[in-house]
Amino acid sequence: MTNILRYDDSAARRLIDNQLYETLQPDLIAAREEMLADIALLGTDQIPAHKQPLDAGFQNLPQQLLDEYDSEQGNSLLGKIEDKARELREQSDRFVVLGIGGSYMGMRALFEAVCNPWHNELTRAQRQGVPRLYFEGNNVDNDSVSALRDLLQSGCQDPHDVLQRWSLTVISKSGGTLETAVGFRLFRELLENYYGADSDESRSLVVPVTGLEGKLRNFSNQKGYSSVFPIPDNVGGRFSVFTAVGLFPAAVMGLDIKQLLQGAADMTQRFVSQPMGDNPVLDYTATCHLFEKEKNVSIRILSTWGKRLEALGLWYDQLLAESLGKEEKGATPLTVVNTRDLHSRGQQHQEGALDKLITNLIVEKSNSDSVPVPVVPENQNQDELNKLEGKMIPDILSAAIEGTNRAYADANRPTADFILPVLNEYTLGQTLQLLMLATVLEGRLININPYGQPGVEAYKVNMQEVLNR
Ligand code: PA5
């Protein structure tokens, strides 16, 4: 039980008529039934037009992957991912991840949440043989691309020395995303210059992760890369963190991907089987929806308590924005990292417009030993911190959380808490799956197809037109 995510929205509920939750319950349960029925439509020609695209494959995928691993071990997708990840760890000391949007943000969230914040600064021994990590292909930024190319060129001169070897993965479901495709050309060129265009290394140290069809799939087939991992048709980009999109790079970085999937599978099971009150997906969706509908609370703040959760928040920003920001509807997501942002956004959240629901993401126990506030001789106590003798950094954080929640409650600002007992692969798996399920559930509730992102195409068409001039 110690690793189970909890959701507590009692503070928010004090600000709204509780009867509304009961009235909403049948609609929520119907939306859940619809999501379960969606699974049965996958792969058939029975998908109604208003449900297309239907990317519901993410719902059961974690359990499917675990079951497949149980029966096929090394021949399963997970087995192959782990083998290839081990090979890249042994064969390279730097690992470049190319991808954008759903092909980037989930992996970044996992990495920042679990790995040492100074990972790239550590020696290979301190990193336990895990390569340094670099993200590219997620923007159009000349200086950033140049800097990484320079780093790889100046730091990697001897391709036979493992400390100077590097590898890359290119992640794109469509295989046609410009930022990633340009990045792939640039870094592939560099890699082939280094190892030799037709060398085994150039085929084994590049790992494409892509859809079953498309430009990148075609190129990979022609090139003969030793491993190409698939992205299933029925899983959309921002829902793909538990496909090879997130799992392969996470495995290279030494994360326990089975624990991630177990957390996600357990959350799906909880969603499917538990009643309101003990079902964080239903409960969170109800609170978000009711405050938006009844109180015009249209800004959803994910208030993360700890630096390691910022990327997870940004992943959620994309998930909510791209899924429900359609037909002039959909709440606006905003991630804050506290206590940092109490010093920047806190004023507005305390006294600005009453249009925000603040959901805290709290980790109860840090992974490292608690650091005490140092006590100094009285003649150096000008900062008066000796009064905190015996207090640890986590005590200060807890006080900040309690103090902030109390201040918001006093000002009639709704808050709720997601509480993770610890931050690890299992609790992360639960959290990410919860947020994906809740996003789809809300879409079904408000009759917005949560899948697809037609609005993203407009800029791409214009950009292409400009480039073609
Ligand atoms: O959620 C989505 O589908 C998008 O954010 C995509 O992930 C993003 O546009 C990248 O697409 P692709 O993986 O096809 O390169």
Side-chain angles (χ1 to χ4, degrees):
M1 280 300 282
T2 53
N3 276 349
I4 305 300
L5 175 152
R6 307 193 300 279
Y7 176 62
D8 178 356
D9 59 359
S10 49
R13 284 186 183 224
R14 273 183 222 116
L15 301 174
I16 197 165
D17 177 1
N18 250 295
Q19 183 61 37
L20 292 167
Y21 281 84
E22 290 189 17
T23 314
L24 180 67
Q25 185 160 331
D27 290 344
L28 263 185
I29 300 299
R32 175 172 69 177
E33 291 306 313
E34 184 178 348
M35 284 174 67
L36 302 183
D38 283 346
I39 300 278
L41 292 173
L42 294 174
T44 71
D45 54 8
Q46 311 294 310
I47 303 173
H50 72 278
K51 286 211 165 197
Q52 293 183 15
L54 182 62
D55 289 337
F58 84 93
Q59 291 174 214
N60 288 345
L61 188 65
Q63 190 61 55
Q64 284 163 1
L65 290 173
L66 289 168
D67 290 346
E68 190 207 14
Y69 179 78
D70 275 349
S71 60
E72 297 179 34
Q73 299 284 305
N75 284 329
S76 65
L77 180 65
L78 286 190
K80 289 178 186 157
I81 284 177
E82 286 187 326
D83 281 352
K84 189 68 190 176
R86 196 173 312 114
E87 184 189 320
L88 288 203
R89 276 203 300 277
E90 286 165 9
Q91 292 291 322
S92 62
D93 198 53
R94 297 178 200 259
F95 179 48
V96 177
V97 176
L98 305 175
I100 194 168
S103 292
Y104 157 62
M105 305 189 80
M107 166 53 197
R108 181 151 208 151
L110 297 176
F111 169 68
E112 290 195 13
V114 173
C115 294
N116 186 307
W118 306 111
H119 177 84
N120 283 5
E121 306 278 325
L122 304 178
T123 64
R124 185 166 171 85
Q126 288 168 325
R127 285 181 268 119
Q128 297 176 326
V130 172
R132 298 179 166 103
L133 180 64
Y134 307 89
F135 292 101
E136 258 306 334
N138 54 44
N139 211 322
V140 186
D141 184 327
N142 201 65
D143 291 344
S144 169
V145 163
S146 300
L148 182 56
R149 276 164 61 93
D150 289 348
L151 182 83
L152 291 170
Q153 274 173 312
S154 61
C156 304
Q157 313 252 311
D158 177 1
H160 302 293
D161 176 0
V162 71
L163 291 178
Q164 300 187 43
R165 286 163 70 86
W166 61 280
S167 54
L168 79 84
T169 184
V170 50
I171 307 174
S172 176
K173 184 177 180 193
S174 63
T177 303
L178 188 70
E179 291 89 337
T180 307
V182 171
F184 186 37
R185 276 204 180 191
L186 290 169
F187 287 94
R188 191 174 74 235
E189 177 188 61
L190 205 64
L191 187 137
E192 291 184 352
N193 284 344
Y194 191 49
Y195 295 107
D198 274 328
S199 64
D200 286 346
E201 278 111 325
S202 289
R203 274 186 287 273
S204 65
L205 295 179
V206 174
V207 181
V209 178
T210 190
L212 306 179
E213 292 173 355
K215 294 174 186 164
L216 179 56
R217 172 64 63 172
N218 296 340
F219 179 79
S220 304
N221 290 344
Q222 185 209 309
K223 200 80 181 164
Y225 290 123
S226 62
S227 297
V228 182
F229 290 114
I231 307 174
D233 268 348
N234 58 29
V235 179
R238 57 192 173 276
F239 297 92
S240 68
V241 63
F242 299 127
T243 70
V245 167
L247 296 176
F248 173 63
V252 175
M253 298 312 291
L255 270 66
D256 186 337
I257 57 174
K258 294 194 201 88
Q259 277 301 304
L260 256 182
L261 291 170
Q262 194 59 60
D266 289 351
M267 183 52 72
T268 301
Q269 185 52 32
R270 212 168 152 188
F271 167 57
V272 168
S273 60
Q274 295 303 307
M276 273 182 89
D278 191 23
N279 187 321
V281 179
L282 295 182
D283 297 337
Y284 173 61
T285 307
T287 295
C288 291
H289 175 73
L290 287 176
F291 271 90
E292 188 175 352
K293 188 163 160 248
E294 306 293 334
K295 305 252 177 196
N296 291 324
V297 168
S298 62
I299 298 181
R300 305 250 176 101
I301 297 179
L302 188 66
S303 173
T304 65
W305 292 89
K307 297 177 176 188
R308 311 181 108 190
L309 295 169
E310 181 164 22
L312 191 157
L314 296 178
W315 168 87
Y316 182 52
D317 283 354
Q318 183 210 357
L319 179 70
L320 189 60
E322 271 193 352
S323 300
L324 302 186
K326 293 165 185 164
E327 299 177 29
E328 302 188 357
K329 293 190 203 165
T332 299
L334 174 68
T335 288
V336 299
V337 181
N338 286 335
T339 60
R340 184 190 74 189
D341 294 347
L342 290 174
H343 298 258
S344 58
R345 295 185 180 275
Q347 166 63 36
Q348 188 181 40
H349 298 171
Q350 182 71 39
E351 295 184 347
L354 278 163
D355 55 1
K356 300 169 195 71
L357 170 65
I358 298 167
T359 304
N360 297 298
L361 184 57
I362 299 166
V363 179
E364 277 182 317
K365 189 173 177 324
S366 52
N367 290 343
S368 47
D369 293 341
S370 296
V371 177
V373 177
V375 175
V376 298
E378 237 0 87
N379 66 357
Q380 292 172 37
N381 188 30
Q382 288 84 353
D383 58 12
E384 297 178 8
L385 290 184
N386 277 356
K387 62 176 181 265
L388 295 181
E389 182 171 359
K391 297 285 183 204
M392 307 281 180
I393 298 287
D395 297 324
I396 301 178
L397 185 69
S398 299
I401 296 171
E402 196 184 320
T404 308
N405 269 352
R406 208 187 306 156
Y408 289 151
D410 290 345
N412 290 332
R413 314 255 152 189
T415 64
D417 300 335
F418 284 129
I419 301 157
L420 309 185
V422 288
L423 189 57
N424 59 25
E425 289 90 333
Y426 183 66
T427 55
L428 271 174
Q430 293 173 67
T431 309
L432 298 177
Q433 188 75 347
L434 183 165
L435 294 171
M436 291 193 286
L437 291 168
T439 301
V440 175
L441 184 72
E442 186 174 359
R444 293 304 182 217
L445 196 64
I446 61 174
N447 285 321
I448 289 283
N449 186 358
Y451 305 114
Q453 57 284 336
V456 179
E457 294 310 309
Y459 97 87
K460 290 188 194 169
V461 172
N462 293 345
M463 178 171 74
Q464 205 58 54
E465 216 173 273
V466 174
L467 285 171
N468 290 345
R469 262 182 219 155

